[in-house]
Amino acid sequence: MTNAQRRAALLASRKAEMDSSSNDSKPAPKPGSAFHPHEASAYYLADVNTVGTFKMFARDRTPPVYTYDIITVHFELNPDTGTWIWFDGKKNQFPRKTQDGWRLGSRKLHDTREGAEAELQHAMAKNGDRVTKVHDLPDDMTALKKIRSAHHPDRNPAADQDLYQAVVEKLDRMRAQAQ
């Protein structure tokens, strides 16, 4: 008997076992698999990607632009191996146990969305993203006008658009409160 014949016989016997033993839609996991998703079976990943990169020997280096996203993960049971997998369209990833919980690839799995959002806030603070600093604007009208003129898109091509927009919105709010 060749290896291919053995494999085909093994798969046929497994399929026959699964058809006879369970009639429900989800097959039962093998007792050897350690990962069992909770009843909601939704986990969350904090995803930080780089949009723009800088060239190593360029004169005008610009820092990379980061995008932040939360991915909802649904697990399925692989009937061949009996392990829970998440198929992202590129590769099968298996959850693995670490000291602080479960990981999918290099990213930590979060049971709740709040945990993933906290990790995103930490990544944004680490990267110095402007979104976390919008609320740090001064309450002085003249200081805000200086920031606005320094970051005006028409006068400065390397202006921070998010900061300029935040200053304009804060000036509008301050003018509305003064009236």
Side-chain angles (χ1 to χ4, degrees), residues 17-173:
E17 280 180 12
M18 293 185 97
D19 290 341
S20 64
S21 65
S22 65
N23 293 333
D24 56 350
S25 61
K26 280 191 176 179
K30 290 183 179 177
S33 64
F35 180 77
H36 298 287
H38 52 72
E39 284 74 26
S41 72
Y43 288 86
Y44 302 95
L45 284 176
D47 189 34
V48 180
N49 285 324
T50 307
V51 175
T53 57
F54 60 89
K55 295 180 181 171
M56 185 62 81
F57 299 109
R59 286 183 185 264
D60 299 326
R61 288 192 210 158
T62 57
V65 177
Y66 296 99
T67 60
Y68 304 94
D69 193 19
I70 293 178
I71 300 172
T72 305
V73 179
H74 295 283
F75 285 95
E76 294 179 9
L77 187 63
N78 185 353
D80 294 336
T81 60
T83 55
W84 293 93
I85 60 167
W86 169 54
F87 184 69
D88 62 351
K90 297 175 187 166
K91 58 185 176 184
N92 287 326
Q93 294 183 336
F94 299 95
R96 61 183 177 84
K97 180 80 170 159
T98 58
Q99 291 179 351
D100 58 345
W102 291 95
R103 290 194 168 266
L104 198 61
S106 62
R107 294 175 289 190
K108 183 180 179 188
L109 277 177
H110 297 278
D111 292 342
T112 61
R113 190 174 178 89
E114 289 79 22
E117 286 175 356
E119 184 179 334
L120 279 187
Q121 289 293 330
H122 176 71
M124 289 166 76
K126 184 181 79 171
N127 293 335
D129 201 319
R130 183 60 64 187
V131 178
T132 58
K133 297 179 182 175
V134 165
H135 303 294
D136 298 339
L137 295 172
D139 291 329
D140 185 18
M141 188 80 82
T142 56
L144 285 173
K145 287 180 180 176
K146 285 181 184 176
I147 294 172
R148 182 188 63 184
S149 63
H151 289 275
H152 196 284
D154 294 338
R155 296 189 202 115
N156 185 1
D160 190 341
Q161 301 285 337
D162 294 335
L163 178 63
Y164 176 76
Q165 189 63 36
V167 170
V168 168
E169 289 172 5
K170 183 157 187 176
L171 280 170
D172 290 343
R173 282 196 304 271

